[in-house]
Amino acid sequence: MIGFQSIRQLNENTLVLEWPENIGPDILSEILHFEQAIIKSHGDLINETYHSYHALAIQFHRDQTTFENLKKRISHLNLDFGTNLTPATWELPVCYDGKFGTDLEEMSKRIGLAKEEIIKIHSESTYTLYFYGFLPGFMYLGGLDKRLYLNRKSTPDRSVKSGSVAIGGTQTGIYPMDSPGGWHVIGKCPVSIFNTTKSPPCKMEPGDKILFRPISIKELEQINNQIEQGFYELNPNKNG
Amino acid sequence: MGKVIFQSSGLHTSLQDLGRYGFRKYGIPISGAMDQESSKLANLLVKNPADKAVMEVTQIGPELTFDEPTLIAITGADLSPHLNGSPITNNKAIPIRSGDILTFGAPKRGLRTYMSIKGGFLYETVMNSQSMFVPVTPKAKFTKGNQLGYQANYQSIENFATIRTEENHFENPSLAVFPGPEFHWLDQTTQSTLLNSEFTIGTNNRMGYQLSNTEMPTNDFQMLTSPVIPGTIQLTPSGKLMALMRDAQVTGGYPRILQLTEKSINRLAQKGSGQVVNFNLIDI
């Protein structure tokens, strides 16, 4: 076990546990484990928890507990409570056609790989969902192949289309809605990651594995039709 | 059922309660009234629970008509409210009759006004909250011609006393802050500039307030994206500060040098571009 390095109060009712400042599956799994154990043992004292790569934020009920009290409880936490984490694997269709992958050409020049190579590498990796941030439903994914690292655009685009699959620095992700953004767009995922009418609004949970499956424009249109008619359902792969 | 009709929208008029909790793990901001001291007071005056959604009016008010009797209260900024052309006072329950027209005039102090209505507004609840925030709700603000329902269940309230609010809330430039997690990254000189200088409010909205002082040096601090909350003050590479407000994203990658107290967030929410603030560091 790595263990958290610090526990501090952020404001009147929020505390933050911090692990070493690294991105990795071990820290993620420990944070998820801790989060589950804290909710199971002290859920009555807690309003909400969420996390980033290496930090877990806990908002507590001020009328039920204090920072000092909760800190003591957390240091004596029974970690057996957080044992059954079962990450799911999701396969997301992505159309890498130049019609959507508007920055593929430019990216190919800048990193010196053919477009087909970029697509192959991007769609053959397994990604881990670390957390959601930046925008509702924006997944911070780990696992991008080093060969695809490329600094963000120096001038962000004013509007990146919803569903755009993009690469920025050492990260890859999907824009859940139209938004300004500085990442290089390489494709389009027709499936909405964020859905306000569903509970929870996002199907994928932190810790889950994400795969990108290349599809043609024709398949993209078929999926769009199915979504429009309400037939399309994104489900995790069996075996988990 | 009664309805409020927007004859004009004002600058930015939205419905806000005390926020949408439990969804930050999906990247969804809390939202909610910018000045929650004032929004709670508005509800108290019409004997609503504190967490009922109220109308948040920013700087330039809308023109509203009511088609059923009810009771309202206006708190927060003084935007010269008028009922059927006659001035009315803030911080007091006001009976409304069918056909009444509520307008606002010159902003006298503060930036954001709150209007509560007896029994609350009828508006869709998305993820446990009525707070308007795109893309969680379809709209971020009301526009001309919009209608907003309310329970027309007016019963006489005996106590029409005016509640006085703290003058300090609007006039005092001092914001109480806790040291942020990365406060100690700053050298002595920068810490001293931060805590002993005035900062001028620049671009600002429900997501954040930009605060600047030319003495603040540029920096190239690097950190991993980490949790942020309303009131977190980030130091950007240019040396400008970004005070995150109610609609702010849930994680950020700039050093979190200060953290506004809950009371200071409410106080800052009443200030606008060009006004100055200073920081008063307190122990957490």
Side-chain angles (χ1 to χ4, degrees), chain B residues 71-92:
Chain B
L71 195 65
I72 64 166
I74 294 170
T75 62
D78 184 350
L79 304 184
S80 310
H82 284 66
L83 192 64
N84 306 318
S86 305
I88 52 173
T89 43
N90 274 16
N91 306 329
K92 192 174 191 290

Side-chain angles (χ1 to χ4, degrees), chain A residues 26-173:
Chain A
D26 297 347
I27 290 178
L28 174 66
S29 99
E30 244 182 72
I31 289 177
L32 295 174
H33 198 89
F34 247 87
E35 188 178 35
Q36 206 175 77
I38 289 167
I39 293 169
K40 282 192 181 159
S41 327
H42 305 300
D44 52 331
L45 307 178
I46 288 166
N47 187 30
E48 184 170 14
T49 61
Y50 68 107
H51 63 90
S52 61
Y53 291 115
H54 76 302
L56 173 62
I58 301 169
Q59 187 185 46
F60 54 90
H61 295 297
R62 280 163 85 192
D63 50 354
Q64 310 260 348
T65 187
T66 60
F67 170 67
E68 289 304 328
N69 177 290
L70 198 55
K71 184 178 170 182
K72 203 178 295 168
R73 286 165 186 261
I74 287 171
S75 54
H76 296 116
L77 195 64
N78 181 354
L79 286 172
D80 294 343
F81 277 123
T83 44
N84 39 3
L85 291 169
T86 48
T89 301
W90 304 83
E91 199 177 82
L92 298 174
V94 176
C95 180
Y96 292 96
D97 189 277
K99 185 179 170 193
F100 304 106
T102 47
D103 296 321
L104 261 177
E105 190 83 49
E106 175 69 18
M107 191 169 165
S108 166
K109 280 184 208 150
R110 286 181 58 184
I111 62 174
L113 282 175
K115 286 189 279 185
E116 296 70 26
E117 272 299 296
I118 296 175
I119 296 166
K120 187 167 185 292
I121 297 168
H122 190 259
S123 59
E124 281 180 354
S125 304
T126 300
Y127 302 92
T128 303
L129 169 56
Y130 279 83
F131 61 97
Y132 290 95
F134 170 50
L135 292 169
F138 187 89
M139 299 187 283
Y140 278 80
L141 299 176
L144 181 68
D145 190 292
K146 280 195 172 65
R147 287 172 288 173
L148 299 186
Y149 287 4
L150 178 61
N151 285 342
R152 288 163 216 204
K153 296 178 182 179
S154 45
T155 312
D157 290 325
R158 207 171 295 169
S159 179
V160 179
K161 287 269 169 274
S162 167
S164 291
V165 177
I167 288 175
T170 62
Q171 302 183 86
T172 187

Side-chain angles (χ1 to χ4, degrees), chain B:
Chain B
M1 186 191 98
K3 42 183 196 300
V4 178
I5 301 161
F6 284 82
Q7 307 298 341
S8 69
S9 64
L11 187 62
H12 188 108
T13 309
S14 68
L15 210 57
Q16 300 292 337
D17 52 24
L18 295 182
R20 179 174 283 115
Y21 285 94
F23 298 93
R24 277 185 281 179
K25 61 185 282 198
Y26 300 111
I28 299 172
I30 302 171
S31 302
M34 289 282 277
D35 173 2
Q36 301 194 351
E37 240 168 89
S38 297
S39 79
K40 286 178 194 168
L41 177 63
N43 276 322
L44 178 75
L45 286 162
V46 296
K47 302 198 166 142
N48 278 348
D51 60 355
K52 276 269 184 259
V54 298
M55 196 182 285
E56 181 176 275
V57 169
T58 313
Q59 203 169 15
I60 300 169
E63 180 178 330
L64 306 172
T65 53
F66 299 80
D67 72 350
E68 294 281 346
T70 184
L71 195 65
I72 64 166
I74 294 170
T75 62
D78 184 350
L79 304 184
S80 310
H82 284 66
L83 192 64
N84 306 318
S86 305
I88 52 173
T89 43
N90 274 16
N91 306 329
K92 192 174 191 290
I94 293 166
I96 296 288
R97 295 158 306 170
S98 305
D100 277 357
I101 303 169
L102 179 67
T103 52
F104 295 87
K108 285 186 184 154
R109 64 168 195 187
L111 192 76
R112 292 184 166 89
T113 279
Y114 294 88
M115 185 185 90
S116 63
I117 200 158
K118 181 73 187 162
F121 292 102
L122 304 174
Y123 192 75
E124 66 176 323
T125 299
V126 183
M127 297 175 207
N128 309 332
S129 169
Q130 288 184 312
S131 292
M132 290 165 79
F133 174 80
V134 170
V136 173
T137 58
K139 284 195 296 198
K141 59 181 184 181
F142 293 108
T143 49
K144 185 177 172 175
N146 281 165
Q147 300 189 351
L148 179 59
Y150 59 89
Q151 297 284 357
N153 59 351
Y154 172 59
Q155 292 153 349
S156 164
I157 283 190
E158 297 80 46
N159 181 7
F160 283 96
T162 305
I163 296 184
R164 291 185 72 86
T165 48
E166 221 185 313
E167 281 302 309
N168 263 343
H169 190 60
F170 299 96
E171 313 304 337
N172 197 328
S174 173
L175 303 173
V177 288
F178 304 120
E182 285 76 49
F183 178 72
H184 64 278
W185 287 13
L186 306 177
D187 59 39
Q188 285 293 329
T189 320
T190 310
Q191 286 188 6
S192 162
T193 305
L194 183 66
L195 300 175
N196 299 307
S197 315
E198 285 187 331
F199 284 79
T200 307
I201 298 173
T203 314
N204 63 88
N205 56 33
R206 288 188 41 87
M207 288 176 74
Y209 273 54
Q210 197 179 64
L211 308 171
S212 59
N213 177 299
T214 49
E215 302 287 296
M216 287 293 287
T218 59
N219 69 84
D220 53 4
F221 291 128
Q222 295 292 325
M223 65 176 266
L224 214 51
T225 299
S226 293
V228 292
I229 56 177
T232 299
I233 298 184
Q234 298 177 310
L235 177 64
T236 66
S238 69
K240 284 186 176 166
L241 311 184
M242 178 55 81
L244 300 177
M245 298 299 270
R246 308 288 183 188
D247 281 350
Q249 57 193 71
V250 303
T251 56
Y254 295 127
R256 302 158 294 180
I257 54 171
L258 297 172
Q259 175 66 43
L260 295 168
T261 61
E262 186 57 33
K263 201 176 170 63
S264 297
I265 299 175
N266 296 328
R267 193 175 272 185
L268 181 58
Q270 289 298 352
K271 301 189 188 300
S273 303
Q275 284 184 274
V276 295
V277 294
N278 58 63
F279 303 115
N280 172 27
L281 192 67
I282 59 169
D283 285 338
I284 194 147

